[in-house]
Amino acid sequence: MIDLSLTPEQQLLKQTAHDFALNEVQPIVEKIDSSDSHVEPWDLCKNFFSKGVDLGFTLLLLPAEYGGKGKKCVDLVLVLEELGAVDVSVASSYFNLTAAMALFITRAGTSEQKERILSKVSNSEPFLFSAAESEPNVATSDMFCPMPDAKIGMKTFAQREGDTYILKGEKSLLVTNAGIADGYFIIARTDEDKPMRDSLSLFYVEADTPGLKFGERTSLIGWKPSHHAAIHLDNVRVHEKNRIGQEGQAAELLMLLPEVAIGLAASYVGLARAAYEYAVDYAKKRVSWGRPIIEHQAVALKLADMMVNTQAARLMVWDAACCAETNPFLAATVKAPSSKTFAVDVAIKNAQLALEILGGYGTTTQSKAGKFLNDAMIGYSCDFTREILRLGLVMSM
Ligand SMILES: Cc1cc2nc3c(=O)[nH]c(=O)nc-3n(C[C@H](O)[C@H](O)[C@H](O)COP(=O)(O)OP(=O)(O)OC[C@H]3O[C@@H](n4cnc5c(N)ncnc54)[C@H](O)[C@@H]3O)c2cc1C
């Protein structure tokens, strides 16, 4: 028998995340959403991030021996759904990315790297990660290109020089946390003659490394509380002790981390739920033809679809999270991409239906419908796009 009920400990974790999201995150998100784009969101978010770290949200997946909570992926998704219901970018950019990259070090790092890097993550000071692969003049979808052509894909190069590498190149203006993070995972090629998938290596670069430069904050159509910018790698010298894994192993190593896409999916379940709840609330209050619009079947059935699809997306996320513990390969190749692409589709559909149910009010910036829709649409292309995730699924068949 499959038991999907939460343990008392998980119920408490979910409630703690719910209260934190409403009391600490929501007021800041509302402030950012209603201000102009010149506000630096991290200045306002730093404080609640720090409180979230104190509550252990970024340490959930870290084993106890590294100062973590030793919890499972399903525990993280409970937290991320609650945070995502308030703001999907806060859930994804700050909490999910940092929790997942810390876990990644435990899986792919040397003992020295685990000791050195994870001690900072489990410190009481908040420590933020960023991971950069996208480049300005390269389709990120090339990461999935099956053609063994060395000319296709990333151009950033890491030239070996003794026991160091010199990194040169540009990363796209969408890199999450670029310019505000403390530690950067940067992918670069270490062999120009091999196809991209066999020539990518991963480097850990501390924020204050000379030559690591950042562009201005990129203004997005949604995800207002998060910070994205380009990275310029101007002869950045990185010691080989900061190479994670072997040369040419980066693509393979990142397969070890289905938790990023699963966490993103959980955040989008949160958004889908929030759009549904917002629409229900409005539909109970708005009166037309002498009764609340929820009593008109045309409206009620939309709400029922929103609820059904949200539940389906949540179940896929929980399934993927459980699979991450038992069969990480299946989780990475099938469950994580399936749940991410489905959860985003549901979030987009729910945001669209919420906007419809709110009528003209839904088109104003006083309502949350526009925020839901813009934040949802961003899910289409953050991580990998809907087409690429589906093509990846076809490749695994
Ligand atoms: C909010 C946000 C945060 C992000 N954070 C990061 C980050 O932290 N680090 C980072 O490195 N990157 C980040 N990105 C970049 C993101 O990974 C890419 O934008 C995404 O993978 C899409 O790549 P692209 O923009 O190069 O689109 P392209 O690869 O150029 O694709 C353009 C279009 O063509 C389609 N397409 C491409 N190839 C094929 C094909 N073979 N078959 C069918 N259709 C195809 C795509 O589906 C898409 O519709 C972020 C993006 C966003 C929006």
Side-chain angles (χ1 to χ4, degrees):
M1 192 177 123
I2 298 173
D3 183 3
L4 292 175
S5 54
L6 303 182
T7 64
E9 206 183 340
Q10 286 172 325
Q11 287 170 21
L12 178 64
L13 179 66
K14 187 171 156 56
Q15 188 62 47
T16 305
H18 180 83
D19 295 344
F20 170 76
L22 282 189
N23 300 330
E24 304 288 344
V25 180
Q26 183 150 288
I28 302 295
V29 166
E30 283 172 358
K31 198 168 176 179
I32 294 169
D33 282 341
S34 61
S35 51
D36 63 41
S37 59
H38 300 299
V39 174
E40 169 49 65
W42 180 234
D43 288 344
L44 300 172
C45 296
K46 218 180 271 180
N47 191 33
F48 73 63
F49 181 70
S50 177
K51 289 183 183 167
V53 170
D54 286 345
L55 288 169
F57 296 157
T58 54
L59 301 174
L60 281 177
L61 303 183
L62 262 191
E65 62 187 294
Y66 301 114
K69 304 281 175 196
K71 299 286 179 202
K72 301 209 180 310
C73 185
V74 76
D75 298 305
L76 181 64
V77 306
L78 295 175
V79 169
L80 291 173
E81 179 181 328
E82 296 308 317
L83 296 176
V86 165
D87 188 277
V88 75
S89 70
V90 165
S92 310
S93 306
Y94 298 135
F95 291 98
N96 184 38
L97 190 58
T98 298
M101 293 320 291
L103 176 70
F104 178 68
I105 295 282
T106 68
R107 292 191 184 151
T110 60
S111 359
E112 185 277 327
Q113 286 166 345
K114 289 178 196 169
E115 189 71 31
R116 175 163 49 93
I117 303 170
L118 295 178
S119 62
K120 295 182 181 171
V121 179
S122 58
N123 198 309
S124 57
E125 289 296 305
F127 196 84
L128 202 58
F129 283 130
S130 173
E133 55 188 36
S134 305
E135 298 187 359
N137 299 314
V138 176
T140 316
S141 307
D142 281 350
M143 282 288 278
F144 277 70
C145 179
M147 282 181 291
D149 182 344
K151 291 196 196 71
I152 292 177
M154 254 174 241
K155 304 284 177 265
T156 297
F157 197 76
Q159 179 71 51
R160 182 138 202 161
E161 237 184 64
D163 57 3
T164 63
Y165 292 85
I166 310 292
L167 271 61
K168 275 190 218 173
E170 304 284 321
K171 293 292 175 187
S172 101
L173 46 66
L174 286 166
V175 176
T176 304
N177 298 340
I180 60 165
D182 304 286
Y184 293 81
F185 293 87
I186 293 178
I187 303 187
R189 289 175 92 140
T190 39
D191 190 329
E192 279 167 326
D193 302 323
K194 285 188 183 162
M196 183 165 76
R197 289 188 72 82
D198 304 323
S199 61
L200 296 177
S201 302
L202 184 61
F203 298 91
Y204 178 71
V205 185
E206 295 269 350
D208 57 1
T209 308
L212 184 66
K213 299 172 185 168
F214 308 99
E216 294 285 303
R217 183 170 74 90
T218 307
S219 177
L220 304 184
I221 59 167
W223 280 43
K224 301 289 181 197
S226 68
H227 181 114
H228 306 263
I231 300 184
H232 310 287
L233 297 149
D234 185 5
N235 293 309
V236 178
R237 189 177 289 274
V238 182
H239 196 275
E240 66 177 355
K241 71 178 185 185
N242 279 332
R243 191 192 65 228
I244 314 279
Q246 299 303 312
E247 277 192 16
Q249 227 191 1
E252 203 181 311
L253 282 181
L254 289 168
M255 280 284 290
L256 289 178
L257 203 60
E259 286 82 357
V260 171
I262 298 170
L264 203 44
S267 313
Y268 270 96
V269 172
L271 193 162
R273 186 187 91 196
Y276 158 72
E277 288 172 351
Y278 195 68
V280 169
D281 190 50
Y282 186 82
K284 284 182 177 169
K285 291 181 189 143
R286 182 71 168 176
V287 174
S288 104
W289 294 15
R291 46 191 169 135
I293 59 171
I294 197 167
E295 290 180 22
H296 299 303
Q297 280 192 350
V299 174
L301 293 178
K302 282 181 183 171
L303 291 167
D305 284 345
M306 291 164 85
M307 183 178 73
V308 169
N309 287 330
T310 306
Q311 288 185 70
R314 181 181 298 117
L315 282 177
M316 281 183 77
V317 170
W318 286 15
D319 175 46
C322 293
C323 185
E325 312 292 337
T326 55
N327 188 342
F329 182 75
L330 183 66
T333 52
V334 177
K335 304 278 184 173
S338 306
S339 64
K340 189 264 170 173
T341 189
F342 187 72
V344 169
D345 285 352
V346 171
I348 292 172
K349 190 69 198 167
N350 278 11
Q352 184 198 327
L353 290 175
L355 200 142
E356 288 175 16
I357 291 167
L358 267 74
Y361 178 59
T363 67
T364 69
T365 51
Q366 284 168 24
S367 98
K368 283 191 180 173
K371 171 182 170 64
F372 291 140
L373 195 58
N374 284 350
D375 285 354
M377 282 310 304
I378 285 181
Y380 165 82
S381 56
C382 67
D383 188 45
F384 292 102
T385 66
R386 178 190 290 142
E387 291 72 35
I388 291 303
L389 291 175
R390 281 166 159 81
L391 286 172
L393 291 173
V394 173
M395 286 176 199
S396 73
M397 285 172 187

